[in-house]
Amino acid sequence: MNYAIIAAGEGSRLAQEGFTLPKPMVSLHGERLIDRLIGIFSQNRPATIRVIINEQSAPLEDHLSALRGTFPIDLVRKSTPSSLHSFHELLKTAPDVDALCLATTDTVFKGDEFGAFITEFERQPELDGLMAVTTFVDDESPLFISAGPDRTITAFTDQKTDQTAFVSGGIYCLRRKALDAVTEVIQSGTSRMRNYQRYLLESGLTIKAFPFSKIVDVDHVQDIRTAELFLSEVN
């Protein structure tokens, strides 16, 4: 499996609250977010692990460069206006990849559930995409998801309704048609991952949901404690 990590955000909310390092270097029980993610990927048959960082992240670049002797990391250094643009830049370095798992660096989840997620994707080659979802909501602007009985996703919405059982977890397994759609939406002027996901459905692609028990998104200092408590429960 090919993996990709979006680690190019500025982490402005954490910075405003006193955290001075790049967000991927937030530590949970002494382990950095980026290290935990790379470690989980490394346990699930990685061919490559592509990571994009912004051009103002020298400490993160040094840290990742030191890991390249241990993990199959390809590093992309480019500042972008959005996570969707970061994804687009990552894909430019992987034009021949037919399937890929993408995650944002601030996503915290159970490693065993992630392994089951990857296995499910590999077992269903007819899927264009498999999205990690959860019923746990701690995001300021969650993306709500409607899905049928077989977990085929029917809608991505900004508002919660009786039909939206899940929220997006920020982890995506995608095949060729879905990867090609990234360039299509960028060229149309789209700049948000959630609009890209809507475009996948509008294009008739088959996207399913894979439920995780809990996924914590680290955006604020208080989220660090929430994520640490979650990991303590896991361990």
Side-chain angles (χ1 to χ4, degrees):
M1 176 63 70
N2 293 283
Y3 295 96
I5 302 172
I6 295 176
E10 297 179 354
S12 57
R13 285 168 289 192
L14 281 168
Q16 291 171 0
E17 296 168 6
F19 187 80
T20 57
L21 291 172
K23 185 196 286 192
M25 301 186 78
V26 165
S27 289
L28 303 178
H29 296 305
E31 183 178 37
R32 292 183 176 94
L33 288 173
I34 192 71
D35 293 352
R36 183 173 191 274
L37 200 52
I38 290 172
I40 291 173
F41 286 176
S42 72
Q43 296 169 13
N44 289 275
R45 306 172 297 281
T48 59
I49 303 174
R50 291 177 170 82
V51 185
I52 183 167
I53 66 174
N54 65 51
E55 295 169 20
Q56 289 75 47
S57 298
L60 179 58
E61 182 176 7
D62 291 343
H63 178 70
L64 290 171
S65 295
L67 294 179
R68 294 172 81 175
T70 305
F71 301 101
I73 295 173
D74 289 338
L75 189 58
V76 179
R77 185 173 176 268
K78 188 174 181 64
S79 298
T80 64
S82 74
S83 57
L84 180 59
H85 287 82
S86 293
F87 188 20
H88 187 230
E89 293 298 328
L90 280 169
L91 291 179
K92 288 181 182 179
T93 71
D96 299 324
V97 167
D98 288 325
L100 179 146
C101 178
L102 172 74
T104 52
T105 191
D106 54 2
T107 303
V108 181
F109 48 85
K110 293 181 180 180
D112 59 344
E113 290 183 338
F114 181 80
F117 172 62
I118 294 298
T119 298
E120 181 84 0
F121 181 65
E122 293 175 336
R123 286 177 177 172
Q124 298 192 60
E126 74 281 3
L127 293 182
D128 296 304
L130 187 66
M131 307 293 193
V133 302
T134 180
T135 56
F136 178 73
V137 181
D138 76 332
D139 197 290
E140 293 175 347
S141 56
L143 178 63
F144 295 96
I145 293 173
S146 299
D150 65 347
R151 301 205 309 266
T152 296
I153 295 175
T154 56
F156 295 100
T157 68
D158 295 327
Q159 303 296 324
K160 180 176 176 58
T161 71
D162 293 339
Q163 305 301 316
T164 53
F166 303 109
V167 295
S168 175
I171 318 167
Y172 322 88
C173 279
L174 303 163
R175 290 196 167 90
R176 186 71 264 162
K177 288 181 181 179
L179 297 177
D180 288 342
V182 176
T183 298
E184 295 168 13
V185 294
I186 287 290
Q187 291 176 343
S188 72
T190 298
S191 61
R192 301 189 73 187
M193 282 294 292
R194 60 185 56 197
N195 290 332
Y196 160 68
Q197 293 174 75
R198 292 179 178 121
Y199 179 80
L200 296 179
L201 299 186
E202 292 167 4
S203 301
L205 274 59
T206 302
I207 311 294
K208 283 193 174 183
F210 185 92
F212 280 57
S213 59
K214 183 184 285 189
I215 299 174
V216 178
D217 187 36
V218 178
D219 286 323
H220 296 277
V221 169
Q222 67 183 23
D223 297 332
I224 298 173
R225 181 59 178 159
T226 301
E228 287 186 326
L229 287 172
F230 167 53
L231 294 180
S232 295
E233 295 169 2
V234 171
N235 298 328

